[in-house]
Structures are given as C-alpha cells and as structure tokens.
Amino acid sequence: MSYRSIERILIAAISVIMVLWLAIPFAMALLWSLVDPSQAWSYPDLLPPKISFERWLVIWNTTSLPTAILNSYSLAPLAAILTVLMGAPTAFAFGRLDFPGKALAQLLMLLPLVMPGFVVAIFFGALLFSLGFFARYPAILFGQVILFLPYAVRILTVSFSQVRTDVVNAARDLGASRLAIFRVAYLPVLKPGIMAALLIVFIMSIEEFALAFVVGSPDFTTIPTILYSYIGYNFIRPNAAVVALILVVPNVILMLILERLLQSANPASVSGKG
Amino acid sequence: MRRALTILLLLAPGLGLVIALMGSVFYLAVMQSFGLMNFAGESALSLSYWQTMLAEPRYWRALQYSTYIATTSSLLAVALAYPLALLLRKPFRGSLLLSALIKAPLLVPGLVAAFLFINVIAYHGVINELMVRTGLWDKPIRMQNDANGYGVIFLQLWKQMPFAFLLLSGAVQGLPEPVLLAARDLGAGTMARFRKIVLPLTANAMQASLILIFIGAAGDFSFQAAAGPTSKHSLATLMSNLQGEQGDWNSAAVVAVTLMALSLFGSAILALAVRGIQRLVR
C-alpha cells in the first residue's frame, strides 16, 4: 500500500470518528427533548415510544426558563456593547501608539484568561458583598465586561493596527475634521473587527456560568444556570435536553457568522486598497 | 508628559479596570486566607485557616485530583491535536470540512458538552445499549461519575483538544516551506525535519496551549460537578462548597490561593518542560 492511500484511509477514519463524535451526542439530546411526558422512554426501547413537543411547552410554561432567556439575552448585547466601548481606547493605544511598557501592558491585559474562573467569581462576589453592593444584574454585567475585555481588545488591536496611516494623513491634509477622519479612514477598516468583537462577547456572555452561578445565586437565573440545575444535583434528562438545545443552537449560528466576519477582516478588501 | 497622560487615559477603561478588578480579587483572596478583611467577627492575622485546611484530607485529595486532571488533560489534548494539525497542514479535498468538524466542539458550551456526554455514557445510554445488543458486554457497565475521573478527562479533551488544534494549526501553517524543502534537499529525514524545524518553530504554540488548557482544567467546576467522581472534590468544587454551603469564606480563600498557586506553578513547569524537550532533541 502506498503512502498516499494510507493517508487517505487515515483521513477517512478520522472523518467518520469526528462525525460520530458530534452527531451521536446531539441526536441523543434532540430525541430526549422530544420524549412525550405521558410515555417514558426507558430500557429496552431503542427510540422514544411517542414523540412530541409537549416537553418544550411544559418547560416553557412551568419553569423560570422564559426569565432566564430574558436575562441571558439582555445581558449579552449589553455586555457586548459595553466591552467594545471600554476596550476600544486600550486597543487604540495597543494598535497605533508606541509607549514604554507596552509589551507588559499587553501581557497584563491577559490576566482574566489565566485567573481561575471560579476564584474570580467567588471573590468578585466577596468584593461586592464587602462594598454592600447587592444588585445582581449590574454586578454580573460588570463582571462579564471585565472577563471578556481581553478578547475585544485583542481583536480591536489588530483592526486598529490595520488602519493605514497614509489614508489618515491624506484625509487630514484635505482638511477633514476629526469626525470625518474617523468616518473615512478608521471606520471602514474597524467595522469587521467591531462586529467580530461584539459577536464573540455576545456568545461568551450567553455561555458564561461561573459569575452568573456564584453572584446570581440563589434565584437570579440565566440559561446556563438553569441547565446546571437540571444536570447537577437533580438530574432531569428531558428538561436538560431542551435547555441544552436552547443554549447551543443560536450560538452555533452566531459562531458561523463570526467565522465569516473574521475571514473578511482583511484591510485590503475592506478599504479597497492594496 | 501630556502624551503619557493621554496613554494612561486611553488604557484606564480597559486595562485599568482589568488590573483593578483582578488585583482586588487576588488581594481579597490572599487577605481572607490569613483571616484579614473578614466579613463577620474580628479580623486578625492568623495562620489558623491554613493550618486547619492543610490538616484536612479532602484538601489534599482535591489538590492532588485537580493536578492530575489538569496535567493529563493538557498533555493528552496537545498529543491528540498535534498530529491532526500536521496532517491538515496542506489542504486536500475535504480538509476544510474535516478541520471544521474538529473545531466544532469549540462552539458547544461546557455545560452542554457535559450533558451530551452523560447522556451517551449513561447506564442505559447509547454505548451501553450498543455493546449489550451486539453481545460484546453481558450487562451495562456503570461509566458515569467513575472514580478515576476518566469521564472528566474525556470531557476536557472533547472541549479543549479543538482549542489546542486551533493554536497549533496556526503555528504549523506558518512553517516556512523553503526551509522544509531545503532540509529535505540536504538529506534530512522526516524525524530530523520534525526535530530540528517543526518542533522548535511550533514550541510557542505548544506552550500556550498546554498552559491555557492546564489552567482551565485545574479550575474546572462544571465538568467535575456533572461527570466527576462523587467521592472527590476538585479545588473549584471544594471552594464553592466551602463558601456557598458552609459560608466559610476564609477556608474558601485558602483553597482559592492554592488553586492560583497550582495554576502558576503548573504553567511554569509545563513551559520549562517544553523548553527542556526542545533542548534535548536538538
């Protein structure tokens, strides 16, 4: 057998494994979410005896899932906008200015990535407690913004560094105001980066568990904390299946959009100049 | 002077806030582990919280367990991702699809991954059903919450291997083709090229993925809570348990400081190990 055909067999095998790796778990979750509450799916049935959307309705009507969805999907856009707004000045400094200690500053920006998530969550909670701050919604929002700043700053730094100085200078020479310079020289190049940063923070905020769980406990719910309540202590499989799908499906769609955006984040294609 | 002020003002809302918050979290955890800045009762410098905690077997078990999970997961994730990244270095028919499949678990939140996994390995899950029906096993095997934490390690791999793959394929795709061709012309074999060119040029990506996966796995809460052995705590679940259920902030702080120290030392050792291996094979 030649080297090429061994490689081909290997690649085929890996592909099959990867499909099983993903398809089986998701198919199981989908089936479990469709099990009709009137007829349990138990051993030795290979497939659920009766399939319906009854479970989805029951969960929607009897649990705090609607509130959790509202919380998650209102926190996420707010966190995304705030993170981008607060990260942009730092990204500008990193991307367009030179100053002593810049490498160290960029390293320190990564702190939230290397601090264990639950340590941050618990002692952020402690900090709020000692300051007498008990409003959980703004607390979680603020915590998420800080946790996700490194990602937004990283993406925007690249965007800012791609802004062409000659275009900025040309606009200035032609007497453009500061706002006009921003509009013609910066904004077109920054746009994909801004969109990508908004999306990635949005996605991470929807998925964020530690802060919402620790600071939000006991009764402030987001989609991940509800999911945790069904898979942890009280394992309720069909409910967990429904919530898992509600959590994962929109995120996958958003991630695919993100991938497109990051691919188009090319200065030449954005500014129309080589 | 004015320029310095401008730069400081630019950094304040981003970097400034990050340093302020992470700094206070760190400061508060260290202080409370020594009995200072207490929420209730007197605050006085004391080593008693450390002494009590260090005398507890569950503390040592959690530390040992988290170290084990983090080390195994990071090493295995990189060991699996590295060959895949090399295999997909040059595009071939279907390579984009395959790489998308490998990266797909990145889109799945950890808790969802944990649920999907429990579902598959449950007592009457797909694997047990399949093995019993085909007659390979006589009866279903209990795999959930196994005592060795294999379930947790598997989950870490499911979730983190794609991350290592992402970092490593970036590095592998950046390998300079002329250098590889020149080495081949000069008679270097596959192994020699790997040792002298591929390994040194991808060492940074390897270090980064090992460290980030180690830190993530050492501080894991959700996989442990969902799929971990019921008889053991990870450092994160122990900390959450001490603080949440027992309201014992000081002991939780001791565990928090331990977890931060483990992350720091673990990363340092892994980073040094990569350097050492690089030097050895040169």
Side-chain angles (χ1 to χ4, degrees):
Chain A
M1 222 191 296
S2 73
Y3 176 73
R4 280 239 70 95
S5 51
I6 294 177
E7 199 175 64
R8 221 167 275 163
I9 291 169
L10 187 67
I11 286 164
I14 294 175
S15 306
V16 171
I17 292 171
M18 289 319 296
V19 170
L20 293 178
W21 189 253
L22 292 169
I24 290 181
F26 278 105
M28 291 293 294
L30 191 62
L31 282 178
W32 269 106
S33 78
L34 295 175
V35 173
D36 193 276
S38 65
Q39 285 184 36
W41 179 20
S42 59
Y43 189 77
D45 295 337
L46 207 53
L47 290 171
K50 190 175 172 204
I51 276 183
S52 74
F53 276 103
E54 192 59 32
R55 187 72 68 171
W56 289 71
L57 286 174
V58 170
I59 293 182
W60 187 262
N61 291 325
T62 60
T63 69
S64 54
L65 185 63
T67 323
I69 292 182
L70 184 69
N71 282 339
S72 283
Y73 277 90
S74 65
L75 269 172
L78 283 175
I81 293 168
L82 275 175
T83 310
V84 168
L85 285 178
M86 287 163 68
T90 299
F92 176 82
F94 285 173
R96 299 206 65 79
L97 305 175
D98 268 316
F99 53 93
K102 184 168 148 185
L104 178 69
Q106 284 183 298
L107 203 64
L108 285 175
M109 196 65 221
L110 301 176
L111 270 178
L113 268 76
V114 295
M115 285 280 273
F118 257 75
V119 172
V120 175
I122 288 182
F123 288 91
F124 176 62
L127 198 67
L128 296 171
F129 190 67
S130 64
L131 294 173
F133 188 86
F134 297 108
R136 284 170 301 181
Y137 191 99
I140 295 173
L141 178 62
F142 180 65
Q144 286 192 345
V145 167
I146 294 191
L147 282 186
F148 304 146
L149 266 170
Y151 301 92
V153 167
R154 176 83 205 121
I155 294 174
L156 291 175
T157 300
V158 174
S159 298
F160 270 116
S161 70
Q162 285 171 339
V163 173
R164 294 174 54 119
T165 313
D166 51 357
V167 180
V168 177
N169 291 341
R172 190 176 294 139
D173 286 350
L174 292 169
S177 66
R178 282 185 171 220
L179 188 70
I181 294 176
F182 180 76
R183 274 218 348 252
V184 298
Y186 281 89
L187 200 56
V189 186
L190 292 181
K191 224 188 228 161
I194 294 174
M195 284 305 292
L198 284 173
L199 259 178
I200 196 141
V201 176
F202 186 95
I203 293 168
M204 294 205 313
S205 161
I206 295 270
E207 295 180 6
E208 202 281 326
F209 171 66
L211 267 177
F213 177 68
V214 173
V215 178
S217 71
D219 56 352
F220 183 87
T221 52
T222 63
I223 307 176
T225 60
I226 285 230
L227 177 59
Y228 178 73
S229 72
Y230 291 139
I231 60 175
Y233 201 58
N234 307 308
F235 185 46
I236 310 174
R237 196 178 309 198
N239 289 9
V242 171
V243 182
L245 290 171
I246 290 178
L247 183 53
V248 80
V249 173
N251 273 17
V252 169
I253 296 168
L254 288 173
M255 270 298 214
L256 295 177
I257 300 175
L258 178 70
E259 180 113 348
R260 275 282 151 80
L261 277 174
L262 286 178
Q263 269 165 5
S264 72
N266 174 340
S269 69
V270 177
S271 66
K273 295 171 172 53
Chain B
M1 193 55 217
R2 229 189 108 202
R3 195 181 136 80
L5 197 66
T6 315
I7 287 172
L8 279 181
L9 280 177
L10 284 172
L11 295 181
L15 180 64
L17 266 181
V18 163
I19 293 178
L21 187 82
M22 293 296 139
S24 357
V25 160
F26 178 76
Y27 181 72
L28 197 57
V30 173
M31 283 294 151
Q32 290 200 333
S33 78
F34 289 109
L36 296 165
M37 303 183 75
N38 280 347
F39 294 135
E42 289 284 294
S43 291
L45 182 68
S46 149
L47 288 175
S48 66
Y49 303 104
W50 279 94
Q51 282 164 347
T52 325
M53 221 45 221
L54 292 181
E56 285 202 37
R58 63 175 175 165
Y59 169 85
W60 292 106
R61 272 207 305 273
L63 175 58
Q64 195 191 7
Y65 175 75
S66 285
T67 312
Y68 154 73
I69 294 284
T71 315
T72 331
S73 309
S74 55
L75 291 177
L76 280 178
V78 170
L80 279 174
Y82 208 85
L84 285 175
L86 286 173
L87 183 72
L88 285 158
R89 191 169 81 86
K90 285 195 186 143
F92 51 83
R93 229 168 53 123
S95 63
L96 270 183
L97 181 69
L98 183 55
S99 120
L101 282 175
I102 294 173
K103 284 185 281 189
L106 280 175
L107 316 186
V108 182
L111 280 168
V112 175
F115 166 69
L116 295 177
F117 173 69
I118 299 176
N119 227 345
V120 169
I121 62 152
Y123 197 71
H124 288 304
V126 192
I127 295 181
N128 270 324
E129 294 269 305
L130 194 74
M131 296 311 256
V132 172
R133 263 166 214 275
T134 53
L136 288 172
W137 291 351
D138 295 335
K139 56 178 186 353
I141 291 176
R142 196 190 139 74
M143 290 181 283
Q144 211 175 321
N145 306 102
D146 67 289
N148 292 316
Y150 296 141
V152 176
I153 294 175
F154 183 89
L155 270 172
Q156 290 288 357
L157 288 182
W158 197 87
K159 184 85 183 107
Q160 306 279 24
M161 192 273 276
F163 179 66
F165 173 77
L166 202 66
L167 288 179
L168 287 168
S169 28
V172 164
Q173 261 145 27
L175 288 173
E177 202 60 34
V179 178
L180 286 170
L181 289 175
R184 186 183 299 188
D185 281 351
L186 293 169
T190 314
M191 261 331 274
R193 271 177 284 149
F194 178 76
R195 270 177 27 213
K196 304 217 164 169
I197 301 169
V198 179
L199 206 55
L201 288 177
T202 51
N204 282 342
M206 198 147 73
Q207 259 178 355
S209 28
L210 280 173
I211 288 173
L212 288 175
I213 295 174
F214 184 91
I215 292 175
D220 163 60
F221 175 90
S222 32
F223 289 166
Q224 173 60 22
T230 41
S231 60
K232 282 186 198 127
H233 269 301
S234 73
L235 286 172
T237 60
L238 177 62
M239 178 173 63
S240 167
N241 185 277
L242 286 167
Q243 181 269 322
E245 271 148 53
Q246 306 175 21
D248 185 352
W249 286 94
N250 301 100
S251 307
V254 171
V255 180
V257 174
T258 312
L259 179 51
M260 289 191 281
L262 173 64
S263 304
L264 188 68
F265 286 119
S267 314
I269 290 172
L270 284 172
L272 287 177
V274 173
R275 285 275 158 78
I277 291 171
Q278 223 182 315
R279 203 159 295 161
L280 257 172
V281 298
R282 199 181 289 166

